[in-house]
Structure formats: C-alpha cells, structure tokens
Amino acid sequence: MGKNYYEVVFEGSYNIICGMLEGFILGKNVNWEWYSSKDAGIETETFTEIIKEWASLKTRLHHIVLEEDFHNALQSSLKDRGDQKHVKLKYTKSARLIKSCSFKFTANAFAKKYGEEIKAIIASPPAGVVIEGYTPVEELDTSAKGVELYAPVHDYTFRGEGTAKGEAGSIVAFRKVLNDHPLVQVSSIKLEF
C-alpha cells in the first residue's frame, strides 16, 4: 500500500513556511515528501479563500501536501514546543487526509516519433497511478506524406486523452513528467478527501 498524505493549510509567509518544513526535515534527518500546491499544480482555492485573499490583497494561506509521517511529527513537535517567533500551532489552519487525487491530460502529435514518446510515457505510469478513460487514436494518411509541418493535413496524427488517478506523491511526479513533454497538456491536480 502507498503512503498517505495530508493537505495542510498554513497561514503566514510562504518563505517562512517552506523554510520551516525544510529545516524540520534537516533537523530530523529524514526524507519526507512535501509539495507546495502552488508549485506542484494542485487545485486548492475555495470561494471563501479567494474572497479573503482578494479583500486583504495578499496571499497568506498556503496549501501544502505533506506525507502523513511528516504531518504527524510536525504537529506533535509544535504541540510539545509551543509557539516560536515565526511558527505557531495556530498557523496550521486545517489538515485533511487525502483519499486520492487525479488530473486530466490531452496529447496531440503530428510525427510518429512524438506519438511513440507520448504512448511510452502513458503506458508506464509510476506505481500507485492508474490511467482511466485513455483514448489514443492514431491516423495514417499516406496521401499527405511530405506535407509541411504547419499544413492542415499530416501523414501521421496521434491524439489521446485520459485521467491519471492515484496517491499524491506518484500523481505529482507523473504530472510533472507529462507536463514536461511539449505536446501534452495537463490540468491541475484535484484532491479527494
């Protein structure tokens, strides 16, 4: 079974929060995983948060996805140590266990080489990721052979779309791989609680 993750909402300075998380990991000498929702492409904002941020004209709430062991150790340390100068237990606004997460992807390629690259990536997702609704379509049109790249007709066309679902760490890593390919578009990651 994979790891469990929490979405934790912290209030405060983004750089201080990230520094606290990195410092905590260094101090414990462990390799816990954590992801900033902003940097990892994870959908976060509720309507209430958007209104609060708009009214205050600054972003003070930061959604961070933490491995369960990391979350538990951090919250335990904050309770045991009490408030620090920049880090206080009350700055943790919420923590929710993530049941699963997903993102959608679409791909379009007009050269067989790129179609094969995309198919290979999608065919081998990391452990903990399942591909659903994947509908690849390849078309060959020999009458268009030799037509220029920007022409309306191509001799090879690959199209595919689907949804990747699974546990947070694997989904974040797989989304990055797909997002790094210039012919694949990915949606933000949706969390399910």
Coordinates of all heavy atoms in Angstrom, one line a residue, residues 129-186:
V129 N -0.3 4.8 -9.6 CA -1.1 5.6 -10.6 C -1.8 4.7 -11.6 O -1.2 3.8 -12.1 CB -0.2 6.6 -11.4 CG1 -0.9 7.3 -12.5 CG2 0.5 7.6 -10.5
V130 N -3.1 5.0 -11.8 CA -3.9 4.3 -12.7 C -4.4 5.2 -13.8 O -4.8 6.4 -13.4 CB -5.1 3.6 -12.0 CG1 -6.1 3.0 -12.9 CG2 -4.7 2.7 -10.9
I131 N -4.4 4.8 -15.0 CA -4.8 5.6 -16.1 C -6.3 5.2 -16.5 O -6.5 4.0 -16.7 CB -3.9 5.5 -17.4 CG1 -2.5 5.8 -17.0 CG2 -4.4 6.4 -18.5 CD1 -2.2 7.2 -16.6
E132 N -7.2 6.2 -16.5 CA -8.6 5.9 -16.8 C -9.0 6.6 -18.0 O -8.6 7.8 -18.2 CB -9.5 6.2 -15.6 CG -9.2 5.4 -14.3 CD -10.1 5.8 -13.2 OE1 -10.8 6.9 -13.2 OE2 -10.1 5.1 -12.2
G133 N -9.9 6.0 -18.8 CA -10.5 6.7 -19.9 C -9.5 7.1 -21.0 O -9.8 8.1 -21.7
Y134 N -8.4 6.4 -21.0 CA -7.4 6.7 -22.0 C -7.9 6.3 -23.4 O -8.2 5.2 -23.6 CB -6.1 6.1 -21.7 CG -5.0 6.3 -22.6 CD1 -4.6 7.5 -23.1 CD2 -4.2 5.2 -23.1 CE1 -3.6 7.7 -24.0 CE2 -3.2 5.4 -23.9 CZ -2.8 6.6 -24.4 OH -1.8 6.8 -25.3
T135 N -8.0 7.3 -24.3 CA -8.5 7.0 -25.7 C -7.5 7.4 -26.7 O -7.7 8.5 -27.3 CB -9.8 7.8 -25.9 OG1 -9.6 9.2 -25.6 CG2 -10.9 7.3 -25.0
P136 N -6.4 6.6 -27.0 CA -5.5 7.0 -28.0 C -6.0 6.7 -29.4 O -6.7 5.8 -29.6 CB -4.3 6.1 -27.7 CG -4.9 4.9 -27.1 CD -6.1 5.4 -26.3
V137 N -5.8 7.7 -30.3 CA -6.2 7.5 -31.7 C -5.0 7.8 -32.6 O -4.4 8.9 -32.5 CB -7.4 8.4 -32.1 CG1 -7.7 8.3 -33.5 CG2 -8.6 8.1 -31.2
E138 N -4.6 6.9 -33.5 CA -3.5 7.1 -34.4 C -4.1 7.1 -35.8 O -4.9 6.2 -36.1 CB -2.4 6.1 -34.3 CG -1.6 6.3 -33.1 CD -0.4 5.3 -33.1 OE1 -0.7 4.1 -32.7 OE2 0.7 5.7 -33.4
E139 N -3.8 8.0 -36.6 CA -4.3 8.0 -38.0 C -3.1 8.2 -39.0 O -2.2 9.0 -38.7 CB -5.2 9.2 -38.2 CG -6.5 9.1 -37.4 CD -7.3 10.4 -37.5 OE1 -6.9 11.4 -38.1 OE2 -8.4 10.4 -36.9
L140 N -3.1 7.4 -40.0 CA -2.1 7.5 -41.1 C -2.7 7.9 -42.4 O -3.8 7.3 -42.7 CB -1.4 6.1 -41.3 CG -0.5 5.6 -40.1 CD1 -0.1 4.2 -40.3 CD2 0.6 6.5 -39.8
D141 N -2.2 8.9 -43.0 CA -2.7 9.4 -44.3 C -1.5 9.5 -45.3 O -0.8 10.4 -45.3 CB -3.4 10.8 -44.1 CG -4.0 11.3 -45.4 OD1 -3.9 10.6 -46.4 OD2 -4.6 12.4 -45.3
T142 N -1.4 8.4 -46.0 CA -0.2 8.3 -46.9 C -0.3 9.3 -48.1 O 0.7 9.7 -48.6 CB -0.1 6.9 -47.6 OG1 -1.3 6.6 -48.2 CG2 0.2 5.9 -46.5
S143 N -1.5 9.8 -48.3 CA -1.6 10.8 -49.4 C -1.0 12.2 -49.0 O -0.8 13.0 -49.8 CB -3.1 11.0 -49.8 OG -3.8 11.6 -48.8
A144 N -0.8 12.4 -47.7 CA -0.3 13.7 -47.2 C 1.2 13.6 -46.9 O 1.8 14.5 -46.4 CB -1.0 14.1 -45.9
K145 N 1.8 12.5 -47.2 CA 3.3 12.3 -47.0 C 4.1 13.4 -47.6 O 3.9 13.8 -48.7 CB 3.7 11.0 -47.6 CG 5.1 10.6 -47.2 CD 5.1 9.4 -46.4 CE 6.5 8.9 -46.1 NZ 6.7 8.9 -44.7
G146 N 5.0 14.0 -46.8 CA 5.8 15.1 -47.3 C 5.3 16.5 -47.2 O 5.9 17.4 -47.5
V147 N 4.0 16.6 -46.6 CA 3.4 17.9 -46.5 C 4.1 18.6 -45.3 O 4.6 18.0 -44.4 CB 1.9 17.7 -46.2 CG1 1.3 19.1 -45.8 CG2 1.2 17.1 -47.3
E148 N 4.3 19.9 -45.4 CA 5.0 20.7 -44.5 C 4.3 20.6 -43.1 O 3.1 20.3 -42.9 CB 5.0 22.2 -44.9 CG 5.8 22.4 -46.1 CD 7.3 22.1 -46.0 OE1 7.8 22.4 -44.9 OE2 7.9 21.6 -46.9
L149 N 5.1 21.0 -42.1 CA 4.7 20.9 -40.7 C 3.4 21.6 -40.3 O 2.6 21.2 -39.6 CB 5.8 21.4 -39.8 CG 5.6 21.4 -38.3 CD1 5.4 19.9 -37.8 CD2 6.7 22.0 -37.5
Y150 N 3.3 22.8 -40.9 CA 2.1 23.7 -40.5 C 0.9 23.6 -41.5 O 0.0 24.4 -41.4 CB 2.6 25.1 -40.4 CG 3.6 25.3 -39.3 CD1 4.9 25.5 -39.6 CD2 3.2 25.3 -37.9 CE1 5.8 25.7 -38.5 CE2 4.1 25.4 -36.9 CZ 5.4 25.6 -37.2 OH 6.3 25.7 -36.2
A151 N 1.0 22.5 -42.3 CA -0.1 22.3 -43.2 C -1.4 21.8 -42.5 O -1.2 21.2 -41.4 CB 0.3 21.3 -44.3
P152 N -2.5 21.9 -43.1 CA -3.8 21.4 -42.4 C -3.9 19.9 -42.4 O -4.7 19.4 -41.6 CB -4.9 22.1 -43.2 CG -4.3 22.4 -44.5 CD -2.9 22.7 -44.3
V153 N -3.1 19.2 -43.2 CA -3.1 17.8 -43.3 C -1.8 17.2 -43.0 O -0.7 17.8 -43.4 CB -3.6 17.3 -44.7 CG1 -3.6 15.8 -44.8 CG2 -4.9 18.0 -45.1
H154 N -1.7 16.1 -42.2 CA -0.5 15.5 -41.8 C -0.5 14.0 -42.2 O -1.6 13.4 -42.1 CB -0.2 15.6 -40.3 CG -0.2 17.1 -39.9 ND1 0.9 17.9 -40.1 CD2 -1.1 17.9 -39.3 CE1 0.7 19.1 -39.6 NE2 -0.6 19.1 -39.1
D155 N 0.6 13.4 -42.5 CA 0.6 12.0 -42.8 C 0.5 11.1 -41.5 O 0.1 9.9 -41.6 CB 1.9 11.6 -43.6 CG 3.2 11.8 -42.8 OD1 3.2 12.6 -41.9 OD2 4.1 11.1 -43.1
Y156 N 0.7 11.7 -40.4 CA 0.6 10.9 -39.1 C -0.1 11.8 -38.1 O 0.3 13.0 -37.9 CB 1.9 10.4 -38.6 CG 1.8 9.8 -37.2 CD1 1.5 8.5 -37.1 CD2 2.0 10.6 -36.0 CE1 1.4 7.9 -35.8 CE2 1.9 10.0 -34.8 CZ 1.6 8.6 -34.7 OH 1.5 8.1 -33.4
T157 N -1.0 11.3 -37.4 CA -1.7 12.1 -36.3 C -1.9 11.2 -35.1 O -2.4 10.1 -35.3 CB -3.0 12.7 -36.8 OG1 -2.8 13.5 -37.9 CG2 -3.7 13.5 -35.7
F158 N -1.5 11.6 -33.9 CA -1.8 10.9 -32.7 C -2.6 11.9 -31.8 O -2.2 13.0 -31.6 CB -0.5 10.5 -32.0 CG -0.7 10.0 -30.6 CD1 -1.2 8.7 -30.4 CD2 -0.6 10.8 -29.5 CE1 -1.4 8.2 -29.1 CE2 -0.8 10.4 -28.2 CZ -1.2 9.1 -28.0
R159 N -3.6 11.4 -31.2 CA -4.4 12.1 -30.2 C -4.7 11.2 -29.1 O -5.1 10.0 -29.3 CB -5.7 12.7 -30.8 CG -5.5 13.8 -31.8 CD -6.8 14.4 -32.3 NE -6.6 15.5 -33.2 CZ -6.3 15.3 -34.5 NH1 -6.3 14.1 -35.1 NH2 -6.1 16.4 -35.3
G160 N -4.7 11.7 -27.9 CA -5.1 10.9 -26.8 C -5.5 11.8 -25.6 O -5.0 12.9 -25.5
E161 N -6.4 11.3 -24.8 CA -6.7 11.9 -23.6 C -7.1 10.9 -22.5 O -7.4 9.8 -22.9 CB -7.9 12.9 -23.8 CG -9.2 12.3 -24.3 CD -10.3 13.3 -24.6 OE1 -10.0 14.3 -25.2 OE2 -11.4 13.0 -24.2
G162 N -7.1 11.3 -21.3 CA -7.4 10.4 -20.2 C -7.3 11.1 -18.9 O -7.0 12.3 -18.8
T163 N -7.4 10.3 -17.8 CA -7.3 10.8 -16.5 C -6.3 9.9 -15.7 O -6.4 8.7 -15.8 CB -8.6 10.8 -15.8 OG1 -9.6 11.6 -16.5 CG2 -8.6 11.3 -14.3
A164 N -5.4 10.5 -15.0 CA -4.5 9.8 -14.1 C -5.0 9.9 -12.7 O -5.2 11.0 -12.2 CB -3.1 10.3 -14.2
K165 N -5.1 8.8 -12.0 CA -5.6 8.8 -10.6 C -4.7 8.0 -9.7 O -4.1 7.0 -10.2 CB -7.0 8.2 -10.5 CG -8.1 9.0 -11.1 CD -9.4 8.3 -10.9 CE -10.1 9.1 -9.8 NZ -11.5 8.7 -9.6
G166 N -4.6 8.4 -8.4 CA -3.7 7.6 -7.5 C -3.4 8.4 -6.3 O -4.0 9.4 -5.9
E167 N -2.3 8.0 -5.6 CA -1.8 8.6 -4.4 C -1.0 9.9 -4.8 O -0.4 10.0 -5.8 CB -1.1 7.7 -3.5 CG 0.1 7.0 -4.1 CD 1.4 7.7 -3.7 OE1 1.4 8.5 -2.7 OE2 2.4 7.5 -4.3
A168 N -1.0 10.8 -3.8 CA -0.4 12.2 -4.1 C 1.0 12.2 -4.6 O 1.3 12.8 -5.6 CB -0.6 13.0 -2.9
G169 N 1.9 11.5 -4.0 CA 3.3 11.6 -4.4 C 3.5 11.1 -5.8 O 4.2 11.7 -6.6
S170 N 2.9 10.0 -6.2 CA 3.0 9.4 -7.5 C 2.4 10.3 -8.5 O 2.9 10.5 -9.7 CB 2.5 8.0 -7.6 OG 3.2 7.2 -6.7
I171 N 1.2 10.8 -8.2 CA 0.5 11.7 -9.1 C 1.3 13.0 -9.4 O 1.4 13.4 -10.6 CB -0.9 12.0 -8.6 CG1 -1.9 10.8 -8.8 CG2 -1.5 13.3 -9.3 CD1 -2.2 10.5 -10.2
V172 N 1.8 13.6 -8.4 CA 2.6 14.8 -8.6 C 3.8 14.5 -9.5 O 4.1 15.3 -10.5 CB 3.1 15.4 -7.3 CG1 4.2 16.5 -7.5 CG2 1.9 16.0 -6.5
A173 N 4.5 13.4 -9.3 CA 5.7 13.0 -10.1 C 5.2 12.7 -11.6 O 5.9 13.2 -12.5 CB 6.4 11.8 -9.5
F174 N 4.1 12.0 -11.7 CA 3.7 11.7 -13.1 C 3.2 12.9 -13.8 O 3.5 13.1 -15.0 CB 2.6 10.6 -13.0 CG 2.2 10.0 -14.3 CD1 3.2 9.5 -15.2 CD2 0.9 10.0 -14.8 CE1 2.8 8.9 -16.4 CE2 0.5 9.5 -16.0 CZ 1.5 8.9 -16.8
R175 N 2.5 13.8 -13.2 CA 2.0 15.0 -13.8 C 3.2 15.8 -14.3 O 3.2 16.4 -15.4 CB 1.2 15.9 -12.8 CG 0.7 17.1 -13.5 CD -0.1 18.0 -12.5 NE -0.6 19.2 -13.1 CZ 0.1 20.3 -13.3 NH1 1.4 20.4 -12.9 NH2 -0.5 21.4 -13.8
K176 N 4.3 15.9 -13.5 CA 5.5 16.6 -13.9 C 6.1 16.0 -15.2 O 6.5 16.8 -16.1 CB 6.5 16.7 -12.8 CG 7.8 17.4 -13.2 CD 8.7 17.7 -12.1 CE 10.0 18.4 -12.5 NZ 10.2 18.8 -13.9
V177 N 6.2 14.7 -15.3 CA 6.7 14.0 -16.5 C 5.9 14.4 -17.7 O 6.4 14.8 -18.7 CB 6.8 12.5 -16.3 CG1 7.1 11.8 -17.6 CG2 7.8 12.2 -15.2
L178 N 4.6 14.3 -17.6 CA 3.7 14.6 -18.7 C 3.7 16.1 -19.0 O 3.8 16.5 -20.2 CB 2.2 14.2 -18.4 CG 1.9 12.7 -18.5 CD1 0.5 12.5 -18.1 CD2 2.2 12.2 -19.9
N179 N 3.8 16.9 -18.0 CA 3.8 18.4 -18.2 C 5.1 18.8 -18.9 O 5.1 19.8 -19.7 CB 3.6 19.1 -16.9 CG 3.3 20.6 -17.1 OD1 2.5 21.0 -18.0 ND2 3.9 21.4 -16.3
D180 N 6.2 18.1 -18.7 CA 7.5 18.4 -19.3 C 7.5 18.1 -20.8 O 8.4 18.6 -21.5 CB 8.6 17.7 -18.6 CG 8.9 18.3 -17.2 OD1 8.4 19.4 -16.9 OD2 9.6 17.7 -16.4
H181 N 6.6 17.3 -21.2 CA 6.5 17.0 -22.7 C 5.8 18.1 -23.4 O 4.6 18.4 -23.0 CB 5.9 15.6 -22.9 CG 6.1 15.1 -24.3 ND1 5.6 15.6 -25.4 CD2 7.0 14.1 -24.7 CE1 6.0 15.0 -26.5 NE2 6.9 14.1 -26.1
P182 N 6.4 18.7 -24.4 CA 5.7 19.9 -25.0 C 4.4 19.6 -25.8 O 3.7 20.5 -26.1 CB 6.8 20.4 -26.0 CG 7.7 19.2 -26.2 CD 7.7 18.4 -25.0
L183 N 4.1 18.3 -26.1 CA 2.9 18.0 -26.8 C 1.8 17.5 -26.0 O 0.8 17.0 -26.5 CB 3.3 17.1 -28.0 CG 4.3 17.6 -29.0 CD1 4.6 16.5 -30.0 CD2 3.8 18.9 -29.6
V184 N 2.0 17.6 -24.6 CA 1.0 17.1 -23.7 C 0.5 18.2 -22.8 O 1.3 19.0 -22.3 CB 1.5 15.9 -22.8 CG1 0.5 15.5 -21.8 CG2 2.0 14.8 -23.6
Q185 N -0.8 18.4 -22.7 CA -1.4 19.4 -21.8 C -2.0 18.7 -20.6 O -2.6 17.6 -20.8 CB -2.4 20.2 -22.5 CG -1.9 21.0 -23.7 CD -1.7 20.2 -24.9 OE1 -2.5 19.4 -25.2 NE2 -0.6 20.4 -25.6
V186 N -1.7 19.2 -19.4 CA -2.3 18.6 -18.2 C -3.1 19.6 -17.4 O -2.9 20.8 -17.5 CB -1.1 18.1 -17.3 CG1 -0.4 17.0 -17.9 CG2 -0.2 19.2 -16.9

